[in-house]
């Protein structure tokens, strides 16, 4: 069976500096794949490559087996790949409801509507009429995830979900994420918080300086191995 | 009574300025492009109406049905083919491109149509007026202009607030890159916004031509400055503010005209500069709507 | 390539190049100053135009290319410079001294106006300077003594046309020389570095402690003085002002922008090259009438979009040449323990190239 989304020996960077080097992985329908690594390991760049917002210098991106490497970001969204960008990037002069509606810009058929998104992310319920610029960080993140769901994607790319949020808010967001999963939605999750990543992910890919240095299910990988990969200790000897 | 009359005429003139300013405001609010050729687009609109009349005998009102959408399409493609590229080159490039257009249009118009005024007759509409008090008459055309200006502003506001395209435009103004991630090509959104700005400019240009009885190649230079002054006096980014700004400018000009027929433009400019120094945020302080 | 190690680098301000430029420049200026003894007045009077065009282009480039202020209102100062000749001439000064005194007065006016213009930024600054220019014209034509809307001639002027031409030639050359030397030293000073940091990122410059409004204001005033001097040269050459709408015409801004864009914005050499190109085009094509301006507009747009660094910028990128030592390079100092031959200079990354690269990636 072909993977939902696959990266094939992708390299990408900015100018002379290479952020992602010869990286390959696959995401199956319904799977949560976590990219783990320190700051600057190339995770965000990789997500942007998958979303079509950044062009890889080498390699291919396949969606359901079809080469989408040269499909631009807004067209790729229409094909079912949606990036929830780092820093939430809500539209500040729009209300929460309007933010969600813009997310449905290239709407595909599916279960997500404003109502079902509010069901899945209950903290949005009272906020629909509020201006996006008036929200707390956690609320913004919930809107950003909801906005991403509105296009009914097949793959959701989540960048730094918990960055800068209080633990209690993160708990709530991850609880929502559990209800969001399913229905064949593939998720690629970039997260610095190792604990949570291991708890939620079906598979992990550890990145170090643009390379994938370790991959496997949370069950297969020892904590020590992940930590070593994260910090770049003697991975080869493992 | 002379003063009261001047005030009334000034307010109505403000409607025309507000209409002229609306397109400039949309282009800046959504694309952050200051269109130095805005006045020239208005002139082109008026010329097209004049030509339609002189060659095809089409009435001004009928020609609007073609002229306004036509310049909307022109605006769409100017944005897609020229300004979009300029926007990716930094802050200077869009300005330089629109200034280039502002140089091309009047000189081409002089070569094509001479410097003579191209008449836009409106029958007796331009002279018809209603007496509202002793010494105060309201012209039908200025009143109509004000009405159209108010409707346009209200319509634009509703369009931006309530329609899907309007939502996209506001979202593109906020963060065009993220809009792309939501599956919307921001370049098309920008192009539609510029098309809207050009179409409104054309409409305003035709109304200006009707008021003046015609249009000359030199009018664009004046009009871009009027439009800009109305935008700044009204406060950047506020659509109703442009109406207030237009009215302030209109009143200043007509009051100065009471003193001497040579003064309106100078006093208008000086009022603008004074507002700039004294209240850099403009007269209407409102949340940025566009 | 010698690696750059902290503590083992020095900043090369291209001092040797500066000396060369000074010697060659002095030679060129002396030669140009002697030219009227060799060439017919008809020839040298043509050059006057070239001199003031280069002055205007350099001034506009200082504003837009180095300080990021796109002005379309420099005609205000050109016009004031021209009318300033009348004002001081009427007070009894000879026309040449009038030009110089007027330029100082206009510098003061520009300083005051900067407080108005600096309320606006970016595109609105541009259009605001245009309004100021219009207002200045409308005020000037209120004065009957200055010919009102009709323009006027210089009353008290050297009678001999040859002497008149000669003095105007020298004045124009002197102004050009002062403009170029002034710009060169301004850009080599700390101010030059500050200005470019403002152009590249005003917020960051502010955060680094650059006094942004002071630097911008100095450039604004200097550019106004240069434009005023050019305006007075125009007035002296034409023995007056034909009409206020001509000397205050926004077309001057179009010419300046065209010259700077074609030549290469943000370089000292570019405007000179651009002015020469414009001058030659003007000789050939001005009989096209106003279509000529249409062509200029089209070319300006094309260059902005497809050759944003201008002709000089393109040449420099390809052949790595500069005439004027404005920049500086960081050079590795040979390690004391292991003396190596002096390393070739490592050029600081060209900000212009960087921005185009960045925008190319986001756009694609």
């Amino acid at each position: 069976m072909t993977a939902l989304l696959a990266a094939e020996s992708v390299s990408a960077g900015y100018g002379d500096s290479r952020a992602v080097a010869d990286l390959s992985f696959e995401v199956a329908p319904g799977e949560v794949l976590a990219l783990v690594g320190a700051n600057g390991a190339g995770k965000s760049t990789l997500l942007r490559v998958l979303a079509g917002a950044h062009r890889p210098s080498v390699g291919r991106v396949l969606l359901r087996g079809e080469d989408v490497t040269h499909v631009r970001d807004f067209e790729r969204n229409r094909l079912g790949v949606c990036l929830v960008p780092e820093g939430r990037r809500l539209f500040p002069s729009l209300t929460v409801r309007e933010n969600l509606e813009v997310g449905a810009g290239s709407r595909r058929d599916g279960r997500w509507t404003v109502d079902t998104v509010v069901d899945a992310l209950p903290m949005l319920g009272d906020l629909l009429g509020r201006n996006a610029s008036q929200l707390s960080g956690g609320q913004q993140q919930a809107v950003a995830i909801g906005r991403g769901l509105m296009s009914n994607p097949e793959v959701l790319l989540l960048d730094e979900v918990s960055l800068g949020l209080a633990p209690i808010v993160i708990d709530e967001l991850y609880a929502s994420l559990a209800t969001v999963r399913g229905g064949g939605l593939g998720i690629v999750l970039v997260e610095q918080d190792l604990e949570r990543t291991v708890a939620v992910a079906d598979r992990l890919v550890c990145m170090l300086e643009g390379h994938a240095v370790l991959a496997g299910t949370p069950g297969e990988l020892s904590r020590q191995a992940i930590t070593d990969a994260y910090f770049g200790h003697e991975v080869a000897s493992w | 009574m002379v003063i009261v009359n001047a005030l009334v005429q000034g307010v109505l003139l403000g409607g025309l300025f507000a209409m002229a300013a609306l397109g400039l405001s949309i282009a800046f609010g959504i694309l952050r492009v200051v269109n130095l050729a805005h006045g020239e687009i208005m002139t082109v609109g008026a010329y097209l109406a004049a030509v339609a009349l002189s060659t095809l005998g089409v009435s001004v009102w009928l020609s609007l049905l073609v002229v306004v959408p036509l310049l909307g399409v022109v605006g769409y493609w100017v944005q897609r083919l020229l300004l979009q590229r300029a926007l990716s080159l930094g802050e200077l490039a869009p300005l330089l491109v629109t200034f280039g257009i502002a140089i091309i249009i009047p000189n081409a118009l002089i070569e094509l149509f001479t410097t003579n005024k191209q008449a836009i007759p409106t029958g007796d509409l331009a002279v018809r007026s209603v007496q509202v008090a002793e010494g105060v008459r309201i012209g039908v055309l200025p009143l109509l202009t004000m009405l159209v200006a108010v409707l346009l502003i209200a319509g634009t506001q509703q369009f931006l607030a309530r329609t899907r395209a309007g939502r996209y435009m506001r979202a593109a103004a906020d963060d065009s890159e993220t809009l792309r991630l939501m599956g919307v090509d921001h370049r098309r959104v920008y192009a539609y916004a510029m098309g809207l700005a050009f179409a409104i400019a054309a409409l305003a240009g035709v109304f200006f031509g009707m008021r003046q009885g015609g249009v000359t190649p030199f009018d664009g230079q004046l009009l871009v400055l009027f439009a800009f002054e109305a935008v700044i006096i009204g406060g950047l980014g506020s659509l109703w503010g442009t109406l207030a700004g237009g009215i302030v400018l209109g009143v200043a000009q007509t009051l100065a005209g009471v003193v001497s027929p040579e003064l309106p433009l100078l006093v208008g400019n000086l009022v603008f500069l004074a507002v700039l120094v004294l209240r850099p945020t403009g007269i209407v302080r409102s949340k940025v709507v566009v | 390539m010698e690696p750059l190690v902290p503590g083992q680098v020095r900043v090369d301000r291209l001092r040797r190049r500066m000396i060369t430029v000074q010697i060659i420049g002095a030679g060129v200026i002396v030669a140009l100053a002697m030219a009227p003894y060799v060439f017919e007045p008809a020839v040298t009077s043509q050059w006057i135009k070239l001199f003031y065009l280069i002055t205007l282009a350099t001034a506009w480039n200082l504003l837009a290319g180095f300080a990021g202020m796109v002005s379309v209102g420099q005609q205000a100062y050109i016009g004031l410079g021209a009318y300033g000749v009348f004002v001081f001439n009427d007070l009894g000064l000879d026309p040449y001294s009038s030009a110089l005194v007027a330029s100082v007065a206009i510098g003061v006016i520009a300083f005051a106006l900067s407080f108005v213009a600096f309320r606006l930024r970016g595109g609105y600054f541009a259009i605001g300077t245009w309004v100021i220019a219009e207002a200045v014209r409308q005020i000037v034509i209120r004065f009957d003594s200055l010919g009102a809307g009709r323009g006027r001639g210089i009353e008290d002027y050297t009678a001999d046309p040859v002497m008149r031409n000669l003095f105007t030639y020298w004045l124009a050359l002197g102004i050009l020389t002062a403009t170029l030397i002034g710009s060169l030293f301004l850009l080599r000073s700390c101010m030059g570095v500050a200005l470019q940091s403002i152009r590249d990122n005003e917020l960051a410059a502010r955060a680094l402690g650059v006094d942004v409004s002071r630097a911008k204001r100095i450039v604004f005033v200097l550019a106004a003085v240069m434009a005023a001097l050019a305006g007075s040269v125009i007035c002296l050459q034409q023995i007056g002002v034909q009409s206020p709408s001509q000397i205050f015409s926004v077309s001057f801004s179009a010419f300046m922008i065209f010259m700077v864009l074609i030549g290469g914005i943000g370089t000292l050499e570019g405007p000179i090259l651009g002015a020469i190109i414009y001058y030659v085009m003007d000789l050939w094509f001005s009989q096209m009438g106003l279509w000529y301006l249409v062509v200029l507009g089209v070319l300006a747009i094309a260059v902005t979009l497809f050759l944003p660094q201008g002709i000089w910028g393109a040449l420099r990128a390809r052949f790595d040449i500069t005439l004027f030592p404005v920049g500086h390079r960081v050079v590795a100092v040979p390690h004391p323990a292991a003396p190596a031959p002096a390393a070739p200079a490592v050029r600081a990354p060209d900000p212009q190239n960087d921005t185009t690269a960045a925008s190319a990636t986001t756009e694609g």
Side-chain angles (χ1 to χ4, degrees):
Chain A
M1 178 193 142
T2 52
L4 187 52
L5 183 72
E8 277 187 6
S9 8
V10 164
S11 294
Y14 305 87
D16 287 339
S17 72
R18 209 150 71 136
V20 177
D22 193 25
L23 206 127
S24 302
F25 64 83
E26 291 184 345
V27 190
E31 185 184 35
V32 176
L33 177 85
L35 298 173
V36 185
N39 265 333
K43 299 164 300 189
S44 291
T45 307
L46 183 58
L47 283 197
R48 290 175 57 77
V49 167
L50 295 176
H54 190 94
R55 192 158 285 181
S57 48
V58 187
R60 299 199 302 166
V61 178
L62 304 177
L63 183 64
R64 290 181 301 265
E66 270 181 57
D67 188 347
V68 294
T69 315
H70 297 286
V71 176
R72 286 171 297 182
D73 45 5
F74 58 91
E75 287 163 338
R76 216 176 285 192
N77 178 284
R78 291 171 202 167
L79 295 177
V81 181
C82 188
L83 171 64
V84 177
E86 187 180 353
R88 292 102 200 188
R89 303 279 288 265
L90 300 186
F91 302 111
S93 57
L94 273 57
T95 64
V96 169
R97 181 186 285 278
E98 287 176 327
N99 266 281
L100 294 178
E101 284 167 345
V102 169
S106 58
R107 195 177 166 72
R108 301 147 49 82
D109 291 333
R111 67 189 257 224
W112 297 111
T113 61
V114 172
D115 292 337
T116 53
V117 163
V118 171
D119 287 342
L121 298 156
M123 71 168 99
L124 297 186
D126 306 328
L127 303 175
L128 286 176
R130 286 265 281 279
N131 221 279
S133 56
Q134 303 165 337
L135 305 183
S136 71
Q139 291 168 335
Q140 286 186 27
Q141 187 65 67
V143 177
I145 294 172
R147 187 180 61 178
L149 291 171
M150 284 295 288
S151 64
N152 283 302
E154 292 182 55
V155 185
L156 194 63
L157 311 171
L158 295 173
D159 201 352
E160 303 281 16
V161 172
S162 61
L163 193 70
L165 301 182
I168 185 164
V169 181
I170 304 175
D171 287 339
E172 201 174 337
L173 281 172
Y174 269 86
S176 302
L177 218 51
T179 63
V180 164
R181 305 183 51 167
L185 177 69
I187 296 180
V188 181
L189 178 69
V190 160
E191 184 60 89
Q192 303 228 11
D193 186 331
L194 270 180
E195 295 281 340
R196 275 179 223 281
T197 312
V198 171
V200 73
D202 299 318
R203 261 183 329 122
L204 295 167
V205 173
C206 297
M207 288 178 68
L208 181 67
E209 291 170 0
H211 295 269
V213 288
L214 190 65
T217 64
E220 292 165 5
L221 303 175
S222 74
R223 285 200 56 84
Q224 189 56 43
I226 298 173
T227 323
D228 285 350
Y230 190 99
F231 293 108
H233 297 171
E234 303 303 316
V235 179
S237 67
W238 175 75
Chain B
M1 262 308 124
V2 177
I3 300 293
V4 175
N5 186 49
L7 277 173
V8 171
Q9 306 309 330
V11 170
L12 293 178
L13 178 59
L16 183 63
F17 292 159
M19 212 198 290
L22 185 56
L24 200 63
S25 212
I26 290 172
F28 182 75
I30 294 167
L31 295 99
R32 302 278 138 193
V33 168
V34 175
N35 182 7
L36 295 178
H38 186 75
E40 306 305 338
I41 305 307
M42 293 175 65
T43 319
V44 169
Y47 263 89
L48 287 175
V51 168
L53 191 73
S54 63
T55 60
L56 305 173
V58 181
S59 89
V60 181
W61 304 108
L62 212 56
S63 72
L64 280 177
L65 293 179
V66 180
V67 170
V68 171
L70 179 68
L71 274 172
V73 173
V74 170
Y76 181 92
W77 287 107
V78 164
Q79 174 63 32
R80 293 229 60 165
L81 299 178
L82 299 177
L83 289 172
Q84 190 60 47
R85 185 180 173 90
L87 279 170
S88 69
L89 293 172
E91 215 181 316
L92 299 190
L95 266 181
L96 299 176
V97 168
T98 58
F99 188 66
I101 298 172
I103 293 300
I104 292 169
I105 290 176
N107 290 298
L109 286 176
I110 293 172
E111 288 287 349
L112 294 173
F113 298 98
T114 73
T115 56
N116 294 338
K117 188 182 246 188
Q118 302 295 309
I120 305 181
T122 49
D124 61 345
L125 185 65
V127 290
R128 221 188 299 164
S129 63
V130 184
Q131 174 135 7
V132 285
E134 181 68 31
V136 181
R137 298 188 73 89
I138 290 183
V140 174
L141 183 62
L143 189 64
L144 186 66
T145 310
M146 175 57 103
L147 208 69
V148 172
V150 170
L151 286 177
L152 271 179
I153 294 174
T156 307
Q157 191 109 33
Q158 290 301 308
F159 167 75
L160 290 173
R162 304 220 183 279
T163 67
R164 178 205 277 237
R167 259 196 318 268
Y168 287 159
M169 286 183 191
R170 286 185 294 142
D174 278 349
D175 186 344
S176 59
E177 201 188 330
T178 303
L179 187 61
R180 287 171 70 91
L181 293 176
M182 299 302 125
V184 181
D185 183 357
H186 76 286
R187 294 170 302 181
R188 287 188 60 193
V189 176
Y190 278 174
Y192 280 120
M194 197 48 106
L196 182 66
F198 271 47
I200 293 174
L203 186 66
V206 174
F207 270 93
F208 172 81
M210 286 195 280
R211 184 189 175 95
Q212 304 290 103
V215 58
T216 76
F218 307 109
D219 292 339
Q221 255 190 56
L222 282 180
L223 289 169
V224 69
L225 298 185
F226 292 159
F228 158 73
E229 289 172 337
V231 170
I232 298 283
I233 295 175
L236 280 175
S238 151
L239 291 184
W240 289 110
T242 57
L243 184 61
I247 288 173
V248 169
L249 188 62
V251 168
Q253 288 195 3
T254 46
L255 283 181
V258 171
V259 179
S260 155
E262 292 166 7
L263 279 178
L265 295 186
L266 175 59
V267 170
N269 287 336
L270 291 180
V271 165
F272 159 74
L273 293 174
V275 169
L276 201 55
V277 173
L278 300 176
R279 286 203 65 176
T281 48
I283 292 174
V284 171
R285 263 173 174 282
S286 76
K287 194 168 74 67
V288 174
V289 180
V290 173
Chain C
M1 192 175 75
E2 185 88 354
L4 294 178
V5 183
Q8 291 171 25
V9 294
R10 66 184 173 84
V11 175
D12 178 12
R13 298 302 306 268
L14 309 174
R15 191 156 290 147
R16 192 172 300 165
R17 173 76 68 81
M18 185 70 177
I19 295 166
T20 322
V21 164
Q22 280 166 352
I23 293 170
I24 294 175
V28 170
I29 290 161
V30 169
L32 283 174
M34 307 296 276
Y37 296 106
V38 183
F39 296 102
E40 292 294 311
V43 176
T44 48
S45 70
Q46 283 288 308
W47 293 4
I48 295 174
K49 180 169 185 183
L50 179 60
F51 293 164
Y52 74 68
L53 286 176
I54 298 177
T55 305
L56 286 175
T58 304
W60 194 82
N61 184 47
L62 268 188
L63 276 175
F66 286 102
M69 294 183 276
V70 173
S71 164
V72 292
Q74 286 300 92
Q75 62 271 20
Y77 311 106
I78 298 173
L80 282 176
Y83 275 92
V85 173
F86 301 139
V87 171
F88 292 98
N89 188 227
D90 291 350
L91 292 174
L93 288 175
D94 70 84
Y96 305 102
S97 317
S98 300
L100 298 177
V101 175
S103 74
V104 175
I106 292 160
V108 175
I109 293 174
F111 178 75
L113 286 176
S114 73
F115 288 91
V116 184
F118 285 9
R119 294 281 195 172
L120 300 164
R121 43 195 61 252
Y124 282 120
F125 172 85
I127 212 162
T129 57
W130 196 352
V131 171
I132 291 173
E134 277 298 293
V136 168
R137 179 181 64 84
Q138 286 153 359
I139 291 171
V140 166
I141 60 173
R142 305 288 306 158
F143 290 94
D144 279 331
S145 62
L146 295 174
R150 299 179 303 277
R152 65 165 269 196
I154 302 174
E155 313 246 299
D156 174 23
Y157 206 2
T158 321
D160 180 3
V162 175
M163 291 309 280
R164 208 156 58 201
N165 191 38
L166 190 60
F167 283 130
T168 309
Y169 178 87
W170 279 333
L171 181 71
L173 179 61
I175 290 167
L176 170 62
T177 310
T179 300
L180 289 178
I181 292 176
S183 309
L184 183 57
F185 278 91
L186 180 77
L187 294 175
R188 275 180 67 87
S189 70
C190 325
M191 180 79 89
V193 180
L195 284 174
Q196 287 168 57
S197 70
I198 293 170
R199 179 195 58 190
D200 294 340
N201 188 340
E202 184 166 330
L203 266 180
R206 223 179 266 278
L208 287 170
V210 175
D211 189 342
V212 170
S213 40
R214 180 170 156 271
K216 285 170 86 167
R217 190 159 280 131
I218 289 172
V219 170
F220 187 82
V221 171
L222 280 179
V225 170
M226 292 172 192
L229 288 167
S232 57
V233 169
I234 295 172
C235 176
L236 290 171
Q237 197 188 19
Q238 299 175 347
I239 323 178
V241 169
Q242 281 157 7
S243 83
S245 47
Q246 182 233 334
I247 199 81
F248 282 107
S249 166
V250 73
S251 304
F252 275 115
S253 284
F255 301 148
M256 285 183 249
I257 292 175
F258 175 79
M259 291 186 282
V260 173
L261 287 179
I262 289 275
I265 191 167
T267 63
L268 265 185
E269 298 89 343
I272 301 175
L273 181 64
I276 294 171
I277 292 171
Y278 170 76
Y279 176 76
V280 172
M281 282 181 63
D282 196 48
L283 289 180
W284 287 350
F285 299 121
S286 49
Q287 74 275 18
M288 282 169 68
L290 294 170
W291 286 120
Y292 171 54
L293 280 168
V294 174
V295 172
L296 285 191
V298 172
L299 278 176
I301 293 174
V303 170
T304 305
L305 293 180
F306 300 106
L307 194 66
Q309 72 277 48
I311 292 176
W312 184 263
L315 289 176
R316 187 177 60 169
R318 178 156 308 173
F319 302 111
D320 192 25
I321 40 170
T322 46
L323 289 184
F324 295 117
V326 169
H328 48 264
R329 345 196 224 191
V330 180
V331 183
V333 176
H335 198 279
V346 177
R347 289 184 60 83
D350 185 350
Q352 222 160 4
N353 285 346
D354 275 3
T355 45
T356 48
S359 58
T361 46
T362 49
E363 196 50 25

